[in-house]
Amino acid sequence: MAATAYPISWPMGFARTKHPEKGRFSTTLPAAIKNVQDSIRLFGQDSGKAIQGLVISSNYTLGGLNPPDPAVAVYFTWDGLQVCIPVDRYTTLAGNLQAIHHIVEARRVELRHGTLNLVRASFQGFAALPAPGSARPWHEVLGVSPAASRADINSAFRSKAAAAHPDAGGSHDAMAALTAARDAGLKAVVS
């Protein structure tokens, strides 16, 4: 996992929120950090599977309690899965951290009322979010020029998806990487 605490390591292929909202959480930044740490620790205890490599990644610095980009991405390893929970929905670090706390608490509820397999399945979506720098650039994955058109990107995606799809002998990981590359390429195309 190549995530850093500062500056933020936002997962590749995960769209950013264009218009964050104020949020209704009434918590302080230290309390929100503690809530995230505690909920992740308790999740590990409840599941019987250790949490390793916890990184809370943001643009927070001691000199800037309210950075212009208040996004937060929490990375950790659980039961062999590299997990990333990124949130940028709210205008404050505390709000985004508190949202992550509630996401982890929801997994604890799944664990109490469901099964370990249910929680593993719900974490699969989080596991598909690689840290920045851990994947090849989108144009290399698709085999196109960095200046490729939307049509070229879509054509390359369709061609490679035919072999990468799990139903065609590929894998979920290969398909996820290909989909992330297509999405990043389409986002990069100047309209």
Side-chain angles (χ1 to χ4, degrees):
M1 197 176 320
T4 58
Y6 176 87
I8 190 166
S9 294
W10 194 257
M12 291 177 52
F14 200 82
R16 295 295 306 267
T17 300
K18 292 189 189 297
H19 305 289
E21 56 191 79
K22 186 170 183 326
R24 296 187 176 158
F25 300 118
S26 57
T27 187
T28 64
L29 182 57
I33 291 169
K34 184 176 182 325
N35 288 343
V36 168
Q37 292 169 331
D38 288 349
S39 62
I40 289 174
R41 179 182 50 78
L42 290 170
F43 174 78
Q45 287 176 356
D46 292 349
S47 68
K49 308 286 182 180
I51 300 292
Q52 299 173 327
L54 175 64
V55 175
I56 299 175
S57 182
S58 72
N59 289 320
Y60 166 79
T61 64
L62 291 177
L65 296 178
N66 294 308
D69 180 2
V72 179
V74 173
Y75 292 85
F76 58 91
T77 302
W78 172 77
D79 197 24
L81 290 172
Q82 290 187 351
V83 177
C84 173
I85 305 173
V87 176
D88 66 347
R89 179 176 178 170
Y90 300 108
T91 58
T92 66
L93 287 169
N96 288 321
L97 281 162
Q98 195 65 11
I100 291 170
H101 160 67
H102 287 292
I103 290 166
V104 174
E105 285 300 303
R107 302 297 75 81
R108 290 184 68 212
V109 169
E110 286 177 348
L111 194 56
R112 282 192 296 275
H113 300 288
T115 65
L116 199 56
N117 286 333
L118 175 66
V119 177
R120 260 191 214 99
S122 68
F123 265 148
Q124 287 299 324
F126 295 121
L129 304 173
S134 64
R136 297 181 315 172
W138 65 267
H139 55 90
E140 286 181 14
V141 173
L142 293 172
V144 297
S145 160
S149 68
R150 293 180 80 77
D152 291 339
I153 291 168
N154 284 322
S155 176
F157 172 79
R158 282 190 300 276
S159 173
K160 291 191 177 283
H165 197 278
D167 292 344
S171 70
H172 290 286
D173 290 341
M175 197 62 201
L178 193 58
T179 301
R182 180 203 57 201
D183 295 346
L186 292 174
K187 192 173 184 178
V189 171
V190 178
S191 299

mmCIF file of all heavy atoms in Angstrom, residues 112-160:
data_model
loop_
_atom_site.group_PDB
_atom_site.id
_atom_site.type_symbol
_atom_site.label_atom_id
_atom_site.label_comp_id
_atom_site.label_asym_id
_atom_site.label_seq_id
_atom_site.Cartn_x
_atom_site.Cartn_y
_atom_site.Cartn_z
ATOM 1 N N ARG A 112 -22.438 -7.982 13.070
ATOM 2 C CA ARG A 112 -23.296 -8.453 14.167
ATOM 3 C C ARG A 112 -24.533 -9.177 13.662
ATOM 4 O O ARG A 112 -25.002 -10.124 14.277
ATOM 5 C CB ARG A 112 -23.728 -7.277 15.050
ATOM 6 C CG ARG A 112 -22.657 -6.826 16.012
ATOM 7 C CD ARG A 112 -23.201 -5.878 17.061
ATOM 8 N NE ARG A 112 -23.695 -4.625 16.540
ATOM 9 C CZ ARG A 112 -22.961 -3.547 16.299
ATOM 10 N NH1 ARG A 112 -21.666 -3.577 16.503
ATOM 11 N NH2 ARG A 112 -23.507 -2.444 15.847
ATOM 12 N N HIS A 113 -25.102 -8.714 12.554
ATOM 13 C CA HIS A 113 -26.376 -9.260 12.089
ATOM 14 C C HIS A 113 -26.256 -10.148 10.856
ATOM 15 O O HIS A 113 -27.233 -10.749 10.439
ATOM 16 C CB HIS A 113 -27.362 -8.121 11.810
ATOM 17 C CG HIS A 113 -27.631 -7.303 13.030
ATOM 18 N ND1 HIS A 113 -28.387 -7.761 14.078
ATOM 19 C CD2 HIS A 113 -27.210 -6.059 13.373
ATOM 20 C CE1 HIS A 113 -28.442 -6.832 15.016
ATOM 21 N NE2 HIS A 113 -27.726 -5.792 14.619
ATOM 22 N N GLY A 114 -25.078 -10.197 10.283
ATOM 23 C CA GLY A 114 -24.865 -11.013 9.099
ATOM 24 C C GLY A 114 -23.764 -12.020 9.364
ATOM 25 O O GLY A 114 -23.745 -12.681 10.390
ATOM 26 N N THR A 115 -22.839 -12.090 8.428
ATOM 27 C CA THR A 115 -21.729 -13.027 8.550
ATOM 28 C C THR A 115 -20.439 -12.344 8.138
ATOM 29 O O THR A 115 -20.453 -11.272 7.531
ATOM 30 C CB THR A 115 -21.933 -14.254 7.635
ATOM 31 O OG1 THR A 115 -21.891 -13.800 6.268
ATOM 32 C CG2 THR A 115 -23.252 -14.951 7.910
ATOM 33 N N LEU A 116 -19.333 -12.996 8.436
ATOM 34 C CA LEU A 116 -18.033 -12.491 8.014
ATOM 35 C C LEU A 116 -17.965 -12.409 6.487
ATOM 36 O O LEU A 116 -17.383 -11.480 5.933
ATOM 37 C CB LEU A 116 -16.934 -13.395 8.568
ATOM 38 C CG LEU A 116 -15.531 -12.829 8.619
ATOM 39 C CD1 LEU A 116 -15.482 -11.518 9.400
ATOM 40 C CD2 LEU A 116 -14.588 -13.834 9.257
ATOM 41 N N ASN A 117 -18.586 -13.360 5.801
ATOM 42 C CA ASN A 117 -18.592 -13.343 4.331
ATOM 43 C C ASN A 117 -19.334 -12.132 3.783
ATOM 44 O O ASN A 117 -18.941 -11.570 2.762
ATOM 45 C CB ASN A 117 -19.183 -14.635 3.773
ATOM 46 C CG ASN A 117 -18.229 -15.790 3.914
ATOM 47 O OD1 ASN A 117 -17.022 -15.603 3.942
ATOM 48 N ND2 ASN A 117 -18.768 -16.987 4.031
ATOM 49 N N LEU A 118 -20.412 -11.720 4.440
ATOM 50 C CA LEU A 118 -21.148 -10.530 4.022
ATOM 51 C C LEU A 118 -20.254 -9.287 4.131
ATOM 52 O O LEU A 118 -20.208 -8.459 3.224
ATOM 53 C CB LEU A 118 -22.407 -10.343 4.875
ATOM 54 C CG LEU A 118 -23.216 -9.068 4.616
ATOM 55 C CD1 LEU A 118 -23.807 -9.094 3.221
ATOM 56 C CD2 LEU A 118 -24.308 -8.929 5.657
ATOM 57 N N VAL A 119 -19.522 -9.177 5.234
ATOM 58 C CA VAL A 119 -18.631 -8.034 5.425
ATOM 59 C C VAL A 119 -17.503 -8.066 4.405
ATOM 60 O O VAL A 119 -17.159 -7.036 3.818
ATOM 61 C CB VAL A 119 -18.083 -7.993 6.862
ATOM 62 C CG1 VAL A 119 -17.098 -6.861 7.045
ATOM 63 C CG2 VAL A 119 -19.231 -7.864 7.853
ATOM 64 N N ARG A 120 -16.932 -9.243 4.155
ATOM 65 C CA ARG A 120 -15.892 -9.358 3.127
ATOM 66 C C ARG A 120 -16.421 -8.865 1.777
ATOM 67 O O ARG A 120 -15.739 -8.136 1.067
ATOM 68 C CB ARG A 120 -15.451 -10.812 2.985
ATOM 69 C CG ARG A 120 -14.187 -11.122 3.680
ATOM 70 C CD ARG A 120 -13.649 -12.508 3.291
ATOM 71 N NE ARG A 120 -12.992 -13.055 4.451
ATOM 72 C CZ ARG A 120 -13.522 -13.923 5.283
ATOM 73 N NH1 ARG A 120 -14.705 -14.404 5.082
ATOM 74 N NH2 ARG A 120 -12.845 -14.346 6.320
ATOM 75 N N ALA A 121 -17.639 -9.271 1.451
ATOM 76 C CA ALA A 121 -18.233 -8.852 0.172
ATOM 77 C C ALA A 121 -18.420 -7.339 0.120
ATOM 78 O O ALA A 121 -18.165 -6.711 -0.906
ATOM 79 C CB ALA A 121 -19.570 -9.560 -0.033
ATOM 80 N N SER A 122 -18.848 -6.731 1.226
ATOM 81 C CA SER A 122 -19.059 -5.280 1.198
ATOM 82 C C SER A 122 -17.730 -4.533 1.136
ATOM 83 O O SER A 122 -17.655 -3.452 0.560
ATOM 84 C CB SER A 122 -19.902 -4.814 2.387
ATOM 85 O OG SER A 122 -19.214 -4.967 3.593
ATOM 86 N N PHE A 123 -16.660 -5.117 1.683
ATOM 87 C CA PHE A 123 -15.344 -4.479 1.602
ATOM 88 C C PHE A 123 -14.700 -4.655 0.231
ATOM 89 O O PHE A 123 -13.733 -3.969 -0.078
ATOM 90 C CB PHE A 123 -14.406 -5.026 2.671
ATOM 91 C CG PHE A 123 -14.358 -4.205 3.934
ATOM 92 C CD1 PHE A 123 -14.134 -4.813 5.149
ATOM 93 C CD2 PHE A 123 -14.518 -2.832 3.908
ATOM 94 C CE1 PHE A 123 -14.078 -4.076 6.314
ATOM 95 C CE2 PHE A 123 -14.470 -2.081 5.066
ATOM 96 C CZ PHE A 123 -14.253 -2.707 6.272
ATOM 97 N N GLN A 124 -15.204 -5.559 -0.602
ATOM 98 C CA GLN A 124 -14.617 -5.753 -1.928
ATOM 99 C C GLN A 124 -14.631 -4.468 -2.748
ATOM 100 O O GLN A 124 -13.700 -4.189 -3.481
ATOM 101 C CB GLN A 124 -15.336 -6.872 -2.695
ATOM 102 C CG GLN A 124 -15.039 -8.258 -2.187
ATOM 103 C CD GLN A 124 -13.574 -8.633 -2.287
ATOM 104 O OE1 GLN A 124 -12.882 -8.265 -3.224
ATOM 105 N NE2 GLN A 124 -13.097 -9.365 -1.306
ATOM 106 N N GLY A 125 -15.697 -3.676 -2.606
ATOM 107 C CA GLY A 125 -15.744 -2.396 -3.332
ATOM 108 C C GLY A 125 -14.672 -1.443 -2.866
ATOM 109 O O GLY A 125 -14.061 -0.738 -3.655
ATOM 110 N N PHE A 126 -14.400 -1.446 -1.558
ATOM 111 C CA PHE A 126 -13.338 -0.598 -1.029
ATOM 112 C C PHE A 126 -11.976 -1.138 -1.448
ATOM 113 O O PHE A 126 -11.041 -0.385 -1.643
ATOM 114 C CB PHE A 126 -13.406 -0.522 0.498
ATOM 115 C CG PHE A 126 -14.652 0.144 1.019
ATOM 116 C CD1 PHE A 126 -15.508 -0.530 1.869
ATOM 117 C CD2 PHE A 126 -14.969 1.442 0.656
ATOM 118 C CE1 PHE A 126 -16.644 0.078 2.366
ATOM 119 C CE2 PHE A 126 -16.113 2.055 1.138
ATOM 120 C CZ PHE A 126 -16.952 1.374 1.991
ATOM 121 N N ALA A 127 -11.865 -2.454 -1.596
ATOM 122 C CA ALA A 127 -10.591 -3.064 -1.953
ATOM 123 C C ALA A 127 -10.196 -2.751 -3.386
ATOM 124 O O ALA A 127 -9.032 -2.821 -3.730
ATOM 125 C CB ALA A 127 -10.664 -4.584 -1.769
ATOM 126 N N ALA A 128 -11.156 -2.387 -4.215
ATOM 127 C CA ALA A 128 -10.870 -2.123 -5.624
ATOM 128 C C ALA A 128 -10.322 -0.723 -5.864
ATOM 129 O O ALA A 128 -10.167 -0.316 -6.993
ATOM 130 C CB ALA A 128 -12.138 -2.313 -6.452
ATOM 131 N N LEU A 129 -10.015 0.014 -4.803
ATOM 132 C CA LEU A 129 -9.525 1.380 -4.942
ATOM 133 C C LEU A 129 -8.037 1.430 -4.648
ATOM 134 O O LEU A 129 -7.623 1.533 -3.507
ATOM 135 C CB LEU A 129 -10.272 2.307 -3.968
ATOM 136 C CG LEU A 129 -11.783 2.301 -4.109
ATOM 137 C CD1 LEU A 129 -12.420 3.115 -2.993
ATOM 138 C CD2 LEU A 129 -12.186 2.842 -5.453
ATOM 139 N N PRO A 130 -7.184 1.346 -5.694
ATOM 140 C CA PRO A 130 -5.744 1.339 -5.441
ATOM 141 C C PRO A 130 -5.241 2.719 -5.024
ATOM 142 O O PRO A 130 -5.789 3.739 -5.420
ATOM 143 C CB PRO A 130 -5.154 0.939 -6.799
ATOM 144 C CG PRO A 130 -6.165 1.398 -7.790
ATOM 145 C CD PRO A 130 -7.505 1.247 -7.110
ATOM 146 N N ALA A 131 -4.202 2.716 -4.216
ATOM 147 C CA ALA A 131 -3.567 3.970 -3.819
ATOM 148 C C ALA A 131 -2.878 4.600 -5.023
ATOM 149 O O ALA A 131 -2.465 3.897 -5.946
ATOM 150 C CB ALA A 131 -2.548 3.702 -2.722
ATOM 151 N N PRO A 132 -2.741 5.916 -5.034
ATOM 152 C CA PRO A 132 -2.030 6.570 -6.139
ATOM 153 C C PRO A 132 -0.621 6.000 -6.263
ATOM 154 O O PRO A 132 0.016 5.677 -5.268
ATOM 155 C CB PRO A 132 -1.985 8.037 -5.713
ATOM 156 C CG PRO A 132 -3.090 8.186 -4.743
ATOM 157 C CD PRO A 132 -3.219 6.860 -4.050
ATOM 158 N N GLY A 133 -0.165 5.879 -7.494
ATOM 159 C CA GLY A 133 1.173 5.380 -7.727
ATOM 160 C C GLY A 133 1.260 3.862 -7.764
ATOM 161 O O GLY A 133 2.286 3.317 -8.103
ATOM 162 N N SER A 134 0.189 3.171 -7.395
ATOM 163 C CA SER A 134 0.254 1.715 -7.370
ATOM 164 C C SER A 134 -0.226 1.097 -8.677
ATOM 165 O O SER A 134 -0.204 -0.100 -8.825
ATOM 166 C CB SER A 134 -0.576 1.171 -6.208
ATOM 167 O OG SER A 134 -1.929 1.480 -6.388
ATOM 168 N N ALA A 135 -0.659 1.914 -9.602
ATOM 169 C CA ALA A 135 -1.152 1.391 -10.873
ATOM 170 C C ALA A 135 -0.485 2.133 -12.029
ATOM 171 O O ALA A 135 -0.004 3.246 -11.878
ATOM 172 C CB ALA A 135 -2.666 1.556 -10.954
ATOM 173 N N ARG A 136 -0.508 1.499 -13.187
ATOM 174 C CA ARG A 136 0.047 2.141 -14.377
ATOM 175 C C ARG A 136 -0.875 3.267 -14.828
ATOM 176 O O ARG A 136 -2.076 3.232 -14.558
ATOM 177 C CB ARG A 136 0.170 1.116 -15.498
ATOM 178 C CG ARG A 136 1.128 0.005 -15.174
ATOM 179 C CD ARG A 136 1.262 -0.977 -16.304
ATOM 180 N NE ARG A 136 -0.060 -1.306 -16.845
ATOM 181 C CZ ARG A 136 -0.266 -2.021 -17.924
ATOM 182 N NH1 ARG A 136 0.727 -2.517 -18.605
ATOM 183 N NH2 ARG A 136 -1.483 -2.282 -18.349
ATOM 184 N N PRO A 137 -0.350 4.239 -15.564
ATOM 185 C CA PRO A 137 -1.199 5.310 -16.095
ATOM 186 C C PRO A 137 -2.296 4.727 -16.990
ATOM 187 O O PRO A 137 -2.103 3.705 -17.656
ATOM 188 C CB PRO A 137 -0.226 6.165 -16.913
ATOM 189 C CG PRO A 137 1.130 5.856 -16.372
ATOM 190 C CD PRO A 137 1.060 4.433 -15.891
ATOM 191 N N TRP A 138 -3.436 5.411 -17.029
ATOM 192 C CA TRP A 138 -4.596 4.912 -17.755
ATOM 193 C C TRP A 138 -4.284 4.601 -19.211
ATOM 194 O O TRP A 138 -4.757 3.611 -19.755
ATOM 195 C CB TRP A 138 -5.768 5.894 -17.639
ATOM 196 C CG TRP A 138 -5.539 7.231 -18.295
ATOM 197 C CD1 TRP A 138 -5.053 8.364 -17.723
ATOM 198 C CD2 TRP A 138 -5.784 7.573 -19.661
ATOM 199 N NE1 TRP A 138 -4.972 9.386 -18.627
ATOM 200 C CE2 TRP A 138 -5.430 8.927 -19.838
ATOM 201 C CE3 TRP A 138 -6.277 6.870 -20.766
ATOM 202 C CZ2 TRP A 138 -5.537 9.592 -21.057
ATOM 203 C CZ3 TRP A 138 -6.387 7.522 -21.981
ATOM 204 C CH2 TRP A 138 -6.020 8.871 -22.111
ATOM 205 N N HIS A 139 -3.503 5.449 -19.857
ATOM 206 C CA HIS A 139 -3.243 5.255 -21.293
ATOM 207 C C HIS A 139 -2.388 4.011 -21.540
ATOM 208 O O HIS A 139 -2.532 3.349 -22.571
ATOM 209 C CB HIS A 139 -2.610 6.504 -21.922
ATOM 210 C CG HIS A 139 -1.361 6.967 -21.254
ATOM 211 N ND1 HIS A 139 -0.130 6.527 -21.624
ATOM 212 C CD2 HIS A 139 -1.171 7.815 -20.215
ATOM 213 C CE1 HIS A 139 0.783 7.097 -20.860
ATOM 214 N NE2 HIS A 139 0.170 7.887 -19.991
ATOM 215 N N GLU A 140 -1.510 3.644 -20.569
ATOM 216 C CA GLU A 140 -0.731 2.417 -20.714
ATOM 217 C C GLU A 140 -1.621 1.192 -20.548
ATOM 218 O O GLU A 140 -1.469 0.209 -21.261
ATOM 219 C CB GLU A 140 0.406 2.379 -19.690
ATOM 220 C CG GLU A 140 1.540 3.317 -20.008
ATOM 221 C CD GLU A 140 2.668 3.225 -18.985
ATOM 222 O OE1 GLU A 140 2.693 2.256 -18.190
ATOM 223 O OE2 GLU A 140 3.512 4.140 -18.982
ATOM 224 N N VAL A 141 -2.537 1.240 -19.581
ATOM 225 C CA VAL A 141 -3.451 0.115 -19.352
ATOM 226 C C VAL A 141 -4.289 -0.147 -20.604
ATOM 227 O O VAL A 141 -4.487 -1.282 -21.011
ATOM 228 C CB VAL A 141 -4.363 0.379 -18.134
ATOM 229 C CG1 VAL A 141 -5.424 -0.705 -17.998
ATOM 230 C CG2 VAL A 141 -3.537 0.487 -16.856
ATOM 231 N N LEU A 142 -4.768 0.945 -21.224
ATOM 232 C CA LEU A 142 -5.612 0.812 -22.409
ATOM 233 C C LEU A 142 -4.817 0.624 -23.702
ATOM 234 O O LEU A 142 -5.377 0.222 -24.720
ATOM 235 C CB LEU A 142 -6.520 2.034 -22.546
ATOM 236 C CG LEU A 142 -7.576 2.195 -21.463
ATOM 237 C CD1 LEU A 142 -8.289 3.539 -21.606
ATOM 238 C CD2 LEU A 142 -8.582 1.057 -21.501
ATOM 239 N N GLY A 143 -3.526 0.938 -23.664
ATOM 240 C CA GLY A 143 -2.697 0.820 -24.864
ATOM 241 C C GLY A 143 -2.987 1.895 -25.889
ATOM 242 O O GLY A 143 -2.972 1.625 -27.103
ATOM 243 N N VAL A 144 -3.261 3.109 -25.411
ATOM 244 C CA VAL A 144 -3.535 4.240 -26.312
ATOM 245 C C VAL A 144 -2.618 5.401 -25.958
ATOM 246 O O VAL A 144 -1.939 5.394 -24.932
ATOM 247 C CB VAL A 144 -5.014 4.701 -26.205
ATOM 248 C CG1 VAL A 144 -5.963 3.594 -26.634
ATOM 249 C CG2 VAL A 144 -5.345 5.182 -24.804
ATOM 250 N N SER A 145 -2.630 6.398 -26.791
ATOM 251 C CA SER A 145 -1.855 7.615 -26.556
ATOM 252 C C SER A 145 -2.487 8.426 -25.424
ATOM 253 O O SER A 145 -3.709 8.408 -25.254
ATOM 254 C CB SER A 145 -1.854 8.456 -27.843
ATOM 255 O OG SER A 145 -1.524 9.794 -27.562
ATOM 256 N N PRO A 146 -1.684 9.169 -24.662
ATOM 257 C CA PRO A 146 -2.267 10.039 -23.627
ATOM 258 C C PRO A 146 -3.219 11.090 -24.221
ATOM 259 O O PRO A 146 -4.057 11.631 -23.521
ATOM 260 C CB PRO A 146 -1.055 10.725 -22.991
ATOM 261 C CG PRO A 146 0.109 9.860 -23.323
ATOM 262 C CD PRO A 146 -0.228 9.179 -24.612
ATOM 263 N N ALA A 147 -3.084 11.336 -25.518
ATOM 264 C CA ALA A 147 -3.949 12.305 -26.190
ATOM 265 C C ALA A 147 -5.096 11.629 -26.949
ATOM 266 O O ALA A 147 -5.716 12.236 -27.828
ATOM 267 C CB ALA A 147 -3.123 13.156 -27.157
ATOM 268 N N ALA A 148 -5.417 10.387 -26.597
ATOM 269 C CA ALA A 148 -6.465 9.628 -27.294
ATOM 270 C C ALA A 148 -7.821 10.315 -27.171
ATOM 271 O O ALA A 148 -8.107 10.995 -26.191
ATOM 272 C CB ALA A 148 -6.554 8.213 -26.732
ATOM 273 N N SER A 149 -8.653 10.099 -28.184
ATOM 274 C CA SER A 149 -10.013 10.654 -28.175
ATOM 275 C C SER A 149 -10.925 9.757 -27.338
ATOM 276 O O SER A 149 -10.571 8.620 -27.008
ATOM 277 C CB SER A 149 -10.552 10.727 -29.600
ATOM 278 O OG SER A 149 -10.766 9.414 -30.107
ATOM 279 N N ARG A 150 -12.127 10.275 -27.044
ATOM 280 C CA ARG A 150 -13.121 9.481 -26.312
ATOM 281 C C ARG A 150 -13.429 8.183 -27.070
ATOM 282 O O ARG A 150 -13.544 7.111 -26.469
ATOM 283 C CB ARG A 150 -14.403 10.290 -26.118
ATOM 284 C CG ARG A 150 -14.242 11.486 -25.207
ATOM 285 C CD ARG A 150 -15.548 12.251 -25.049
ATOM 286 N NE ARG A 150 -16.437 11.629 -24.082
ATOM 287 C CZ ARG A 150 -16.307 11.717 -22.752
ATOM 288 N NH1 ARG A 150 -15.313 12.397 -22.240
ATOM 289 N NH2 ARG A 150 -17.165 11.120 -21.958
ATOM 290 N N ALA A 151 -13.550 8.295 -28.377
ATOM 291 C CA ALA A 151 -13.856 7.117 -29.196
ATOM 292 C C ALA A 151 -12.726 6.090 -29.116
ATOM 293 O O ALA A 151 -12.986 4.878 -28.999
ATOM 294 C CB ALA A 151 -14.091 7.533 -30.651
ATOM 295 N N ASP A 152 -11.456 6.552 -29.168
ATOM 296 C CA ASP A 152 -10.318 5.636 -29.066
ATOM 297 C C ASP A 152 -10.284 4.950 -27.700
ATOM 298 O O ASP A 152 -9.997 3.761 -27.596
ATOM 299 C CB ASP A 152 -9.003 6.385 -29.291
ATOM 300 C CG ASP A 152 -8.841 6.866 -30.734
ATOM 301 O OD1 ASP A 152 -9.503 6.307 -31.633
ATOM 302 O OD2 ASP A 152 -8.044 7.808 -30.932
ATOM 303 N N ILE A 153 -10.569 5.718 -26.651
ATOM 304 C CA ILE A 153 -10.565 5.171 -25.285
ATOM 305 C C ILE A 153 -11.642 4.101 -25.154
ATOM 306 O O ILE A 153 -11.388 3.002 -24.660
ATOM 307 C CB ILE A 153 -10.756 6.293 -24.254
ATOM 308 C CG1 ILE A 153 -9.509 7.187 -24.228
ATOM 309 C CG2 ILE A 153 -11.064 5.732 -22.872
ATOM 310 C CD1 ILE A 153 -9.685 8.487 -23.472
ATOM 311 N N ASN A 154 -12.848 4.419 -25.606
ATOM 312 C CA ASN A 154 -13.948 3.456 -25.513
ATOM 313 C C ASN A 154 -13.686 2.214 -26.355
ATOM 314 O O ASN A 154 -13.989 1.091 -25.940
ATOM 315 C CB ASN A 154 -15.272 4.114 -25.902
ATOM 316 C CG ASN A 154 -15.797 5.003 -24.804
ATOM 317 O OD1 ASN A 154 -15.678 4.684 -23.619
ATOM 318 N ND2 ASN A 154 -16.381 6.128 -25.174
ATOM 319 N N SER A 155 -13.107 2.395 -27.538
ATOM 320 C CA SER A 155 -12.801 1.265 -28.413
ATOM 321 C C SER A 155 -11.748 0.356 -27.774
ATOM 322 O O SER A 155 -11.897 -0.873 -27.762
ATOM 323 C CB SER A 155 -12.315 1.778 -29.767
ATOM 324 O OG SER A 155 -11.930 0.705 -30.584
ATOM 325 N N ALA A 156 -10.699 0.958 -27.227
ATOM 326 C CA ALA A 156 -9.649 0.169 -26.570
ATOM 327 C C ALA A 156 -10.211 -0.564 -25.358
ATOM 328 O O ALA A 156 -9.878 -1.729 -25.113
ATOM 329 C CB ALA A 156 -8.491 1.076 -26.163
ATOM 330 N N PHE A 157 -11.074 0.109 -24.609
ATOM 331 C CA PHE A 157 -11.692 -0.525 -23.439
ATOM 332 C C PHE A 157 -12.496 -1.753 -23.858
ATOM 333 O O PHE A 157 -12.346 -2.830 -23.287
ATOM 334 C CB PHE A 157 -12.589 0.475 -22.700
ATOM 335 C CG PHE A 157 -13.403 -0.172 -21.613
ATOM 336 C CD1 PHE A 157 -12.837 -0.481 -20.390
ATOM 337 C CD2 PHE A 157 -14.738 -0.490 -21.829
ATOM 338 C CE1 PHE A 157 -13.578 -1.095 -19.385
ATOM 339 C CE2 PHE A 157 -15.489 -1.107 -20.833
ATOM 340 C CZ PHE A 157 -14.901 -1.412 -19.613
ATOM 341 N N ARG A 158 -13.361 -1.595 -24.866
ATOM 342 C CA ARG A 158 -14.189 -2.724 -25.315
ATOM 343 C C ARG A 158 -13.324 -3.893 -25.781
ATOM 344 O O ARG A 158 -13.600 -5.052 -25.474
ATOM 345 C CB ARG A 158 -15.145 -2.276 -26.420
ATOM 346 C CG ARG A 158 -16.350 -1.521 -25.904
ATOM 347 C CD ARG A 158 -17.396 -1.297 -26.982
ATOM 348 N NE ARG A 158 -16.907 -0.535 -28.116
ATOM 349 C CZ ARG A 158 -16.853 0.794 -28.177
ATOM 350 N NH1 ARG A 158 -17.283 1.518 -27.168
ATOM 351 N NH2 ARG A 158 -16.397 1.394 -29.254
ATOM 352 N N SER A 159 -12.285 -3.581 -26.514
ATOM 353 C CA SER A 159 -11.404 -4.620 -27.031
ATOM 354 C C SER A 159 -10.710 -5.386 -25.899
ATOM 355 O O SER A 159 -10.700 -6.617 -25.878
ATOM 356 C CB SER A 159 -10.360 -3.973 -27.946
ATOM 357 O OG SER A 159 -9.403 -4.919 -28.342
ATOM 358 N N LYS A 160 -10.165 -4.660 -24.945
ATOM 359 C CA LYS A 160 -9.452 -5.305 -23.837
ATOM 360 C C LYS A 160 -10.414 -5.965 -22.850
ATOM 361 O O LYS A 160 -10.076 -6.967 -22.225
ATOM 362 C CB LYS A 160 -8.551 -4.306 -23.137
ATOM 363 C CG LYS A 160 -7.381 -3.874 -24.019
ATOM 364 C CD LYS A 160 -6.374 -3.098 -23.235
ATOM 365 C CE LYS A 160 -5.189 -2.741 -24.089
ATOM 366 N NZ LYS A 160 -4.272 -3.839 -24.299
#
